[in-house]
Structures are given as C-alpha cells and as structure tokens.
Amino acid sequence: MKAGRSRVALALLLVPGLLALTGCRDRVDLNDRAIVMAVGLDAADEPGRVEVSMAIAAPAGATGGGGAGNAGGGAGGAGGWRLIVRSSAGRTVEEATLGINPGIGRRVYTGSSALLAIGEDLARQGIRPWLDYFIRASDFPMKVWVVVTRGRARDLMAATSDESGFQVLDLQDAFEQVEPRQALTHNLRFWRFYDYLVAPHRDPWCAYVAALERNHLIEAVAVFSGDRLAGLLRDEEAAAFGLFLPGAFMSNVFVARPGPDAGEPGPGDSVAIRLKSVRKAVRVTSVAPRRLAINLRAEAIVTEGLPVTESPRAEAEIWQAKVTRAMEESVRRLVDRLRDWRADPLGFAETFRRIDPRLAEGWHDGWPDLEVDVTVELLFRTGLRGRGIGW
Amino acid sequence: MTFTYRISQWQLFVVVALTSISLTPFGSPAVHHDFGRHIWVANLVQWLVTGAGGLLALALARRFAAGPAGRFSVRAVGPVLGWVYGFLLATYVFLWGPVGTLDTMLQLLEVMELPETSPAYPAALTLGISSFAAYLGPEVVARFAEAFSWFLLIGLVMILVIPLAEASLGALLPVDLPDPAPFYNGTTWAYVLGIRGFFLVPLYAAYLDYRRRVHRPVLAGLLAALVVVGVITTTPHLLFSDAALKTLQYPGLETMATSPITILPVESALFVTVLIWHGIGFVVVAATLYVAAALFADLFRLPHHRWLVPVLAGLAFVILRLPLQTQVRETLMVGWSLLGYVVGLVFPAAILLLRRGKRVNP
Amino acid sequence: MFGWWKSKRKWSDWIRALDAALSPSELKWLRLRLDGGREAAVAYLDSVVDRRRLREDVVRPLVDAAPDPKAIRRVLSMGEPAESLSEIKRKVLDGWAAVFVDGAPLACTFDLFHPAARDVPEPSTEQTLLGPKYAFVEQLRVNLNLVRSRLPVEELRIEQLEIGRRSRTKVAVLSVKDVTNREILHEVREGLKSLDIDWVDDASVLSELLFGRTLTPFPLGQLTERPVRVARALMNGRVAVLVDGSPFALIVPTTLVELQKDSEGFLQGPLNRLFARFLRAAGTLLAVLGPATYAALLAVNPQILPTPLAVTVAVTREGVPYPVLGEILVLLLLQDLVQQAAMQAPGPLGQTLTIVGSLIIGQAAVTARLASSLVIIVLAGTAIGSLIIVNFPLSFAIRIWKYPITVLAGFLGAFGLVAGFASLLVHLASLQSAGVPYLKPFAPLNWYDLVHYSVVAPSRQAIERRPQTWRAADTRRTGSRARQDGP
C-alpha cells in the first residue's frame, strides 16, 4: 500500500469519525439515569386515565421521600442504594411517564426494569390500551415479569421487606429462582403475557401478588377474560391449572382423604403425591354438540401416606383410584370455573381453531355450552423401582 | 510490493451470502404485517426469484465477463444498449446498497438503539468506513468481508439458536391457503426482490480466476442466505401468535429480546443481534459501493474507481438525508425494486436468449 | 603471486593517502624494519582492533621472519591482498590491519576485528518457558553463527549485502534454497538493493524502509531476537534479514496470526495449544475492545446490563465527576504512560512502576472518587490483554487502536463499537507483507494453515507439510526430496 493512498483513505475515515463526535445525544452515563426497577400501573381516580408508578434505584445519599425511604443495603452492594417510588397520572402511559420526575436530577430509564405490576382495579377495567406503550418502547425489556397486585400496584412497589428491603426485589428474586411455589407462573413473562393478550384465541394469566406487612405472597393465579381480570384460581384449582403448564406440574400436590368406605390406609390418614410427568391430550369434536375431551396421563410419586414399597399393592391401587378421582374433580372444577368466567387461559379455543378456524369464531359466547370430558390416568409409584444391587 | 490476489471462491461465497442475507429480515415490516404467518410464501417466492436471478447472473458471468467489471453488457448487446444497461445496473446497485440497505440499517438503529442521535452521524460513519474499504479495491472489500464473517458467523449462529430456547413447534398452525391480497401490493414485490446478492456476481466474477468454478460459491451463498433468512423470519412464529406479531415492529429482532443469556452478564441477546446486523450492513455497503463505483468508472471511462467512491458515498449521504414523505419514499422504493427486476431478471434473460457470447473456457 | 616484491612503491606513500581518507588521530601506524633496509608498516584503527592478536598474529611473525624474505612472504600469504585504496579503507574501518611492505604494489590485510562482544544472552523481549535460551547479539557474524548452528542445512543461503552509501552496513539475507518462494526472496533482495540511504542502523529501520512509511501501526515485518524462530521461519519458506549491529532479525513476510504465535509449541497436544491460542486471541480482543465495551455499556446502551449489575455500577460511579468516556480515556492514557515509563525504567524500578501505576494510582483514584472501581477492572483486563501479545510492536499497535474505538463506542454505543472494529478490520485487510495478506489464513481463507498451523499448530500433519501462507516452493517436508539424503 502506497503512503499517499493510505493517507487519503485515513482521511476518508477520520472526517466522518470526527463529525460523529459532536451531538450524539444518546450518550447519558448510567449514573445519570434514574434506573427503574419496576413499573406499576393503576387505575387513576378519573376514568380513562392511568397512574404509572416507578420504583427507581437511587444512591443512598440522594434526596427524595416517596413511599419507601429505607436504605436497601442487602441488594444494593457496596455503595448502598435505595428505592424511591414516584407516580404520575395521565391520559396515556406516555403522558404519565413524562410526568414522573425522579426528583434526583436524572433521566428516567426503564431499560433495566424487571417487573410490571398491574393494580387489581385497573386489571378489572381492562389493560389492553395501556400495554401498547411498553411493547413499542424500544428500551423496555420484553422479558419483565407481569403480576397483578391485590390493591394498588403502587403499594407493592413501596412495600418494604425483611429480606432485601423491598418486596419488589424479593419478588423478582422469587421469579428468577423458580421456587416451586412460583413455578405456576414462572414462564409468563411480559412478551408471552402480551402475546396471549393480543391473540384472539387465548387469554392471559399471571401471578396475583399481595403485599403483606413485611413480606409478599403469591396468592393465586389471576386469569383474564379478554383484557379484563376475570377471577383468581387458588389451591386445588391452581394446582389443576398447573397440570397444563410445562414445568409447573412438579409443584402440584394432590391430596386424597379417606372416604367412609375406606379400609385401613397407610400410616397417615391421607395420601399426597408429587407428579413426575404429565402427558396431556386435548381433543375436540367438531360436530355438534361441540365436545372437549381432556385426557391427562400422569406419573406420580407418593410423598406421604403410603409405605415405601417396590411395586403397587392392593391398598396402593385403592389410593391410586382415589387420587385419580380427586384430580379429575379438581380439573373439572377448574374448567367449570373458567367457563363461568368465559376465560380461556389454556388455549382450548386454539385447539378448535387448528381444526377449523370457523369453529373458533365467537367461542367466548359458545364456551358455556361446550361439553367437557375430563379423564385422568395416574400411575402410582410408592418409592422403589427395584430391590437394588443385592437382588 | 505488488502482488495481486484474486478473489477466492470462499470470499465470493461470503460476499454473496452476506449481501443476500443483508438486512432482509427487517427490510420490510410491512410485508410481515401483510403476510402474517404466511411469510413463508413470500420467502419462497423470494427464493425462486433469487435463484433465477442468481442462475442468470452466473450464466452471464460465464458467457461474457472475462474482462473488467461491467464490460460484459457492452460485449453482449453492443455499445449503446450495453452502456444503458450498465448505467441502470450501476444505478440499481447504488440505490440498493449504499442507499437502501443503509437506510434500513439507520432505521433499525434509530428504533432499537440510538433514538435521540441524528441518523446523520451513523450514516456518515458507515459510509466513511465502507468508502475506506471500497476505495482500497475489491480485494480489500473481499478480505474485509471474509475477516468480518468469522465474527458474524458466531453471531449469526447465536441469532438462529438463542430464540429457539423459548420457541415451540407446537405454536405453528396447520398449513392453510394464504390470502392473495398482499401480492397485489408493491411493497411485497419490493420485498420479494429483497435477496439481491446475485447482482454482485457478474461484477465480482471479473475478479475471479476462471479456472475456479463460480457456480458453487454463488449457489452455496444463496442457499446459506435462504436458510438464514428463512429461519429468522419463521422463528417469531414459533414464539408469538399471529395477532401479536402484527403489532411488533421488527419481529426478527424482538424475538431475541425474549430469551436472556443467563450465563453471561448480558441481559438481552438483542445486543448481539443488533451488532451482527450492523456488521453485515457494513459489508454490504462496502461491497455495493465498490461495485457501483467500478461500474460507473468503467462506463465513464475513468482510469480508476477510486475517486468515484467518495463521490458516490457523498451522494448516498445526501439522498439519505433528503427530507422525503413516506409515501414518496415507498413509491420510490417500489420503483427501484422494479428497476431491479428489469435489470436482474428480464434483461439478463433476454441477453442470454438472444445473444450467443463466447463462452469463457478455462 | 608475490610480484609486488619488485615494486618501487614505499609504504610511506600509503600514509598520506590513508591519513587523508581516515581520521588521523584514530589511525595508528606501526613501523617495522625488515631485511635489507626494507621497511614495513601496519595500519589499523586502534578502537576496533584486537591488540593482542595484532601482536601475536601479525607483528611477531613479521619480526621473527625479518631476515628471510621467504618467511615474510609466508607470513603475508596468511592475509588477504587488498587491491585498491578504497578497499583498504573499507577493511581498516571494519577492524582489519593493513600491512604495507616497501616495494609492494598492494597491501596485505588481516582480520583483527575485536568485537566489543557480550556473551550470547538470554532473550529479553521474547521470554520463553521451555525452549532454547539464547538470543542474538549485535555482531552479524555471531548471529549468523547462531542461525547456522541451529540450521545445519546445506541449502541455507546467506547473501551478504552492503546497505548505506556511507556506512556500508553489512546485511545478510537468509533463505533456504528450494524452499523459499523465489518471488518473495527476489522482492526482498531487490527491495534492499534499491534502498538509497547513507546509513542503516537497525533491523526495524530496515523494515520500515522496505515496506515504505505507511501510517499503519502494525508491524509488517517480524522482529525477533531468537535464532530458533529465525530457523523455523526459514524452514517454513520465509526470508530472514540480519543487520550488523542489530540484535534483532527481521523476518518477512509476516501475518497477524504469525505475530501472535508463541515462539515454540512447547505445549504437548492440540488441545493445550488450542487453549493457549484461544487465550491469546481473547486477550487481544479484550485489549482492543475492552474499554470500548465499557464505554458503550455505561454511556449509551445500558439495556444490556442485568438490573443488579446496572445498579451496582451506577452506585460505584456515583460522585465521579467525569463522564464515562472521559474517565476511561484519561485512565487509559495514564496506564499507557505508566507502561511506557516502566518499559524505559531500569529493571527492578520498572516493575515497581508497573505496580505503582496499576494498583496504587488506580486505588487512589477510586478512593478519591475520581474513577469507579469497575473501570479499574476493565483497565486491568486491557493491560493484561495487551501484555499477553507476544510481539511487542503488535501490542503497541493494539494499544493505539483502542483509543479511536473507545471514543466511537462512547458516543455511539454498540454501533460505534462495531464501526470501530469494522474500520480496524478494513485496515488490517488492506495490509500486505511482501505480498502476503496480513490476515492470512483467516482472510483469505486457507483451511490447511488455519487448522494445522494457526489454531492447533503445529499439528501432526504440519510435520509433513509446510504452511501454505508463505507460498513455499517445496511444500512437503517428507517425501522424495527429504529421502534423497537417506541411506
């Protein structure tokens, strides 16, 4: 390469390079941004308006009161930082966001958020119009967790806790850890929630969280019908719901209690199982009357109640039948409940649609007339696979 | 010290593959919106057009292109018509690469990364670096593409694999008949002509050693591009429902935002994706800038392409910064896509049918 | 042969001629009385001649033989006759002694050069763990000796050239017949011959002259102080240039990958070598892109950081008065200052400086809230990355290139990072060393070299074939040519 050529080439490179040095307005240092850890949406006092709350991480020294003035030392690392909560209402999310003034002289930055909390009131009014902003904002992460809060979302964000100082942070940790209790909702991140919300043949669901005195509680599964909160699934219904979610059935506990005709049970007076695997088959018939057949084949390990043996015995078979019936019962109850709510979080309408899109049309109205069969086949394992080495 | 290195088969493969992949998956969100889950139909048509164009370009290259780049049209159809064709081709390559691709790249940048920075800066930077490569000649462009491809390859594999973590094949709906309406739309046809790497073939072929075969690298490059574009356009359908996809701006990118790479301190794979697409953009702009400059230099009988490179880069910058209404922009885009159709398919086919050139033998 | 005996020329005639040509104060004349009133004189440069050998090998035999002309002739026949004044001048300057005898038309010269030699040292810039521990010195002859003894091959060709109109510095071009590519050898030889300069002092200068003064910071010729490396390069088909007075050999052509190679594959097995190469590549990338990534992540694109990390980083930067870009640029500059100072400071002091620079200043800056603690980690990574690069000039080039990339990344984020990296690649792609592209075997791709020499190198197959990058004339190590010498 001759010297002259390279010099000209270098000039070609340098001139725009130097130009680029001026006026790049996206350069805002991280410590000059108000890092938003969680975003909350609540119904504002006037109809048609939304209240946006943001939990902002701020250095411990910065001013500002907010709901929580606690120094969050645990999660804050060496320097120490705390959360401050700011809210603002507006006709749109954008307007409300612009109204939020962190009060610490920084630019609001939502790119690191990990939680989107929706207040119960807003959820019951309908959330679709308010989520559009988040899917379009390029820096809002699509994999934040979505929760519906008991009461106002703002209260959850301001709630303190024993562990990390803030219930918002505890909640994030809980979701990240996939703790069995949260397994039901662990794979429902914002993008999927949004997908189910927008999809015509499916309804979204998410965790329903209550901020307690010094702790949070994932109380139930919040099920939507359309974009409105339809109801909450608790206990056995939630467990039945989990049977249909990949990875979530592991945490389910089904308990059968002895009926009046039962013989001698095991050591306890009930049997509890943990499921190893579930294979589900949902079949539909397209001819009238429309019929939905749900068949679940599960393998279960007895965790309490029956003696540890290598193969099923007569008493185990009795209990197997009982637990099977209990499971069928709870699944049926779940489906009934969903039918009442006209909610379809499990995507049954999708099954119809796959056969013929016309079947799925107007399914919301046809849902209560649908006939539903539920069958459960359960394989019991009381503990041992074989006798082991000395066999 | 002057040794001339010819472009190798592998380099041709890399250049053709990268220009064919280009920013196609994001080139037209409108097409995604129109076709929805039937995007595979558009992909298929696109591939057929590309394949036809690629084969025609290969045939042209083999029959007429044993000389300076761009001279083949003159050899094929005579000085006047050949000159006109060469001019159209050069214009098309210029409009497609330094203008069209860069425009898409800048839009991507504005939406995903630098919402507040004026696009003028990245535009100037990209054109500057690409001119640097194009100025230094085809071999440097090819080597740059090749060297960059090592990094791009890693990134592309990540792009293809990572979103699959959350994907499920069960989300695919059964095949049904697509709605023909989008095909009556100009944007669709602009997208169908989206894979345009083959336009570079006859031009780069002039630099190939003819003892080597041109077919294999070109076809392999087109095939690789088809696979990549196909996977990237279909993966969103494994994650999102049709209705949700229609509300996303860049489905291929937003898919990446769904899965965190937990093992690295990287929150979102989107970062890698955007880097990779920018990287490909650099290669495409450099290659097309060179080709356009070389073609124009040949047409106007300039001794060397070098001084045309900064001129064309400046022109591209001006065109990019022209305040145009969206409608005008769309119309122009459809217009020059049709120009590409004529230049890439109709004309070569006509030449091949009507003219018998001297086959370049080894 | 010794017809000069009958000449009428007196030795004193030479005095005037030589004194006029060379500096009289340094030029010594030793006058000897021979038989029959004949006189002889020995001229030499006091500074470069070995006096003991002058006495033992020249003066004493001459004096002993004084009465007998035949004996004198025998003594003189051990020297080399010099034909002209300019030749005598040359040789005297090179540390030869010229003996003039009355009546002789020419002088007889003896090589009595006394090298201000040091022992063959250990390599200082290319440290090696398991490998021969000797390096080049300043004398060309010693260096040639080192290469020869390392490479007792009959095809080894050493061409001696003289470069420099005034200095006539001895330069040796080494190649292996039938192995070295003739074009490359011709290119190097002609390039050297065509140099028009009055003085050459070092191999690095020669490298610059050979490739032209380009703006590239990357070394286009490989400087090495290890004879082993020269020997290996020669057997792979490259050309080595040794300059008198320089303890470094210049190997051309070279590539980026070659510069990154360790001097010997002391690690056994391909996996170990692969890992070592991977570490080196990663270190290089870290050195170029590390600060830029930091600037991009913290100043423009923090979306990428996980939430807890983002908060932690923001907290550590709390109270730092500069923007991220300014902070990292100032500290990078400071770090390079320290490295430069440490390089020039004498041995132990240099190490102290490095420690002071990297640890104490950094720590002090963090404590004084002038820098965040994360930036110190990034700096440490960058420094280690640039230290892991074997070739010093290359590591310097990398150190220069990190600045523009960091600036671009600091303003334009990830896009700036890619743009900076792309421009680096374009620059590297445009470089050629003696006609070999700098990025070979990655671009242009050469699978054989990539697999057997660059990644795993040298593998089992590499024992049989030479790397193709250097376009060696004879590609096979085994086979007919090698078997010729066999039984």
Side-chain angles (χ1 to χ4, degrees), chain A residues 310-358:
Chain A
E310 86 193 52
S311 58
R313 299 194 178 165
E315 55 182 320
E317 275 162 24
I318 297 170
W319 280 101
Q320 185 171 325
K322 280 178 188 287
V323 179
T324 308
R325 229 174 299 133
M327 280 173 72
E328 273 175 6
E329 196 60 28
S330 43
V331 172
R332 205 166 288 131
R333 243 189 330 225
L334 167 75
V335 175
D336 286 347
R337 186 57 68 88
L338 294 177
R339 225 163 26 178
D340 291 348
W341 292 338
R342 304 204 172 189
D344 185 16
L346 297 175
F348 294 131
E350 185 75 31
T351 319
F352 282 110
R353 183 197 175 197
R354 277 165 191 269
I355 292 172
D356 190 344
R358 279 166 299 181

Side-chain angles (χ1 to χ4, degrees), chain A residues 250-376:
Chain A
M250 296 266 283
S251 60
N252 292 339
V253 175
F254 290 93
V255 180
R257 303 199 179 277
D261 56 333
E264 269 305 300
D269 60 350
S270 66
V271 166
I273 57 162
R274 204 181 67 221
L275 294 174
K276 278 279 290 174
S277 69
V278 176
R279 248 178 276 160
K280 49 191 177 294
V282 179
R283 279 189 217 89
V284 294
T285 48
S286 52
V287 288
R290 291 185 203 169
R291 181 180 285 272
L292 183 72
I294 300 169
N295 178 22
L296 297 171
R297 301 175 69 187
E299 196 184 342
I301 297 175
V302 175
T303 51
E304 288 166 48
L306 276 176
V308 174
T309 52
E310 86 193 52
S311 58
R313 299 194 178 165
E315 55 182 320
E317 275 162 24
I318 297 170
W319 280 101
Q320 185 171 325
K322 280 178 188 287
V323 179
T324 308
R325 229 174 299 133
M327 280 173 72
E328 273 175 6
E329 196 60 28
S330 43
V331 172
R332 205 166 288 131
R333 243 189 330 225
L334 167 75
V335 175
D336 286 347
R337 186 57 68 88
L338 294 177
R339 225 163 26 178
D340 291 348
W341 292 338
R342 304 204 172 189
D344 185 16
L346 297 175
F348 294 131
E350 185 75 31
T351 319
F352 282 110
R353 183 197 175 197
R354 277 165 191 269
I355 292 172
D356 190 344
R358 279 166 299 181
L359 282 179
E361 278 166 21
W363 65 275
H364 265 291
D365 304 323
W367 199 197
D369 307 329
L370 196 67
E371 287 185 23
V372 180
D373 294 337
V374 178
T375 48
V376 174

Side-chain angles (χ1 to χ4, degrees), chain B residues 1 3 5 10 109 113-114 122 125-126 129 132-133 136 140 143-144 146-148 150-151 265-267 271 275 278 282, chain C residues 183 187 300-301 303-304 306 414-415 418-419 421-422 425-426 429-430 432 434-435 437 439 442-445 450 471:
Chain B
M1 304 209 166
F3 280 89
Y5 262 83
W10 177 260
L109 200 64
E113 274 188 79
L114 303 169
L125 194 63
T126 313
I129 290 166
F132 182 33
L136 293 166
V140 172
R143 280 207 291 270
F144 164 58
E146 195 180 8
F148 217 0
W150 293 101
F151 298 93
V266 170
E267 182 75 342
F271 181 55
L275 292 190
H278 290 335
F282 276 109
Chain C
E183 278 175 73
E187 190 97 18
V300 187
N301 296 106
Q303 297 94 309
I304 298 133
F415 172 77
V418 174
F421 190 58
L425 279 183
V426 172
S430 72
Q432 292 191 3
L439 287 176
F442 283 94
L445 179 74
L450 192 67
R471 301 187 286 151

Side-chain angles (χ1 to χ4, degrees), chain B residues 280-297:
Chain B
I280 293 178
F282 276 109
V283 173
V284 174
V285 175
T288 46
L289 200 56
Y290 165 71
V291 166
L295 270 173
F296 277 125

Side-chain angles (χ1 to χ4, degrees), chain B residues 42-52 192 195 222-223 226:
Chain B
N43 276 339
L44 201 65
V45 177
Q46 191 182 43
W47 185 67
L48 290 176
V49 171
T50 302
V192 164
I195 294 188
L222 292 176
L223 202 65
L226 174 82

Side-chain angles (χ1 to χ4, degrees), chain A residues 1 5 8-10 12-13 16-17 19-20 22-26 107 128 135 138 142-143 189 191-192 194-195 198-200 350 353-354, chain B residues 111 114-117 121 124 128-129 132 135-136 166 170-174 239-241 243-244 247-248 254 257-258 260 267 306-307 310:
Chain A
M1 192 167 74
R5 261 173 86 184
V8 172
L10 199 79
L12 280 179
L13 183 65
L19 275 176
T22 55
C24 299
R25 292 195 292 143
D26 284 295
R107 194 198 277 204
R128 176 73 183 87
I135 205 77
S138 68
M142 298 209 353
K143 57 190 185 55
R189 291 171 179 260
W191 63 270
R192 189 161 276 170
Y194 177 80
D195 184 29
V198 175
E350 185 75 31
R353 183 197 175 197
R354 277 165 191 269
Chain B
V111 172
L114 303 169
E116 289 174 36
T117 305
Y121 301 113
I129 290 166
F132 182 33
Y135 180 89
L136 293 166
E166 298 276 340
L172 280 182
L173 292 174
L239 286 145
F240 288 97
S241 67
T247 64
L248 298 182
E254 274 145 345
T258 58
E267 182 75 342
R306 268 181 225 152
W307 295 109

Side-chain angles (χ1 to χ4, degrees), chain C residues 51-134:
Chain C
R51 284 207 208 157
R52 197 182 53 79
R53 281 180 55 207
L54 176 70
R55 204 168 53 235
E56 302 289 328
D57 298 354
V58 181
V59 178
R60 181 164 297 165
L62 275 177
V63 171
D64 286 352
D68 180 7
K70 279 188 182 165
I72 292 179
R73 253 182 265 170
R74 260 204 309 280
V75 173
L76 291 180
S77 68
M78 289 192 293
E80 277 179 28
E83 307 277 349
S84 64
L85 182 65
S86 63
E87 193 185 345
I88 295 170
K89 225 160 52 188
R90 258 280 29 91
K91 289 195 161 174
V92 169
L93 280 173
D94 283 349
W96 293 52
V99 179
F100 305 95
V101 181
D102 278 350
L106 40 78
C108 201
T109 54
F110 294 84
D111 183 6
L112 299 176
F113 179 62
H114 176 65
R118 48 183 177 130
D119 292 335
V120 173
E122 278 197 29
S124 58
T125 59
E126 297 165 68
Q127 310 259 337
T128 170
L129 215 55
L130 308 166
K133 305 228 191 258
Y134 58 92

